Amino acid sequence: MNYVFAPATAQRRLATLQECVQAAAQQGRAVIPVSGDCMEGRDIMDGGWVAVDFTHYPRPCRTVDGEHIPGDPCMCYAEFPSNIDEPKTPPAIMCKEYTGLWIGHMVATRYKQIGGKLRMNAGFSAIAILGVVYASWGPDGNLLWETDPDAYPTELPSRITVEGGNINVTSTIVPLGVRE
């Protein structure tokens, strides 16, 4: 691995945007510690580590042969949405699932659903998609999964990829209740 970030502790904060941009410019790949459980549904564990390739980007959610395939995990710079009566959270480096291009490049949480306890996932627009996550290690250091980083695209989509509600991939606004 080209660059390894130190884990977050009481004395050290999470990776910054500047650190990620520097790693991308100098090495192209990095191992970054994970803080939080919002991606455990994709086997990216709190206290674990992810490998990020800053020269490749995630693929959006897609349907192949009638099967839904979720978007790829990514490293992004985003601001987690707050309730209107709460103070805004500052933007931060986050590991999220890339869902596609709509009103911006969209990302989402993927909580692990355990024992009937429903945890709502949240989708929101990222300020920047920094790279694709291509490997994940648990807190114990065991490799959970790995993919070939060269299998991912070198550019993000430039056309809308998110379908649903009243938006389709041709970027046409369709009045609710009306089919094309």
Side-chain angles (χ1 to χ4, degrees):
M1 195 47 46
N2 297 342
Y3 193 92
V4 178
F5 283 81
T9 65
Q11 291 78 32
R12 184 181 178 346
R13 79 259 172 281
L14 299 173
T16 66
L17 178 60
Q18 181 179 0
E19 289 171 327
C20 287
V21 169
Q22 286 173 342
Q26 294 173 6
Q27 287 89 14
R29 293 185 180 159
V31 173
I32 300 176
V34 176
S35 178
D37 63 351
C38 67
M39 287 294 290
E40 288 188 355
R42 296 296 303 269
D43 285 330
I44 296 173
M45 311 307 280
D46 183 21
W49 302 78
V50 293
V52 180
D53 183 339
F54 295 106
T55 65
H56 289 84
Y57 295 96
R59 297 164 294 197
C61 300
R62 56 211 175 275
T63 303
V64 176
D65 297 329
E67 182 183 349
H68 172 76
I69 298 174
D72 297 316
C74 70
M75 191 62 51
C76 64
Y77 185 63
E79 181 179 323
F80 196 81
S82 302
N83 290 329
I84 198 161
D85 58 342
E86 296 175 345
K88 289 181 81 169
T89 57
I93 297 296
M94 300 180 186
C95 181
K96 298 290 178 244
E97 179 181 293
Y98 180 68
T99 57
L101 179 60
W102 184 40
I103 56 173
H105 289 285
M106 305 301 291
V107 295
T109 60
R110 287 295 169 248
Y111 287 103
K112 188 172 212 152
Q113 305 301 328
I114 301 172
K117 179 182 172 191
L118 179 63
R119 297 197 61 194
M120 297 297 291
N121 286 303
F124 47 97
S125 183
I127 297 166
I129 305 296
L130 304 175
V132 68
V133 171
Y134 67 92
S136 174
W137 293 266
D140 57 4
N142 287 325
L143 181 66
L144 300 174
W145 58 267
E146 181 178 20
T147 58
D148 177 6
D150 293 327
Y152 296 95
T154 57
E155 295 180 356
L156 288 166
S158 58
R159 298 197 57 193
I160 290 176
T161 61
V162 176
E163 289 190 22
N166 63 340
I167 306 292
N168 66 22
V169 293
T170 60
S171 304
T172 306
I173 302 295
V174 179
L176 289 174
V178 176
R179 293 206 163 273
E180 286 189 282

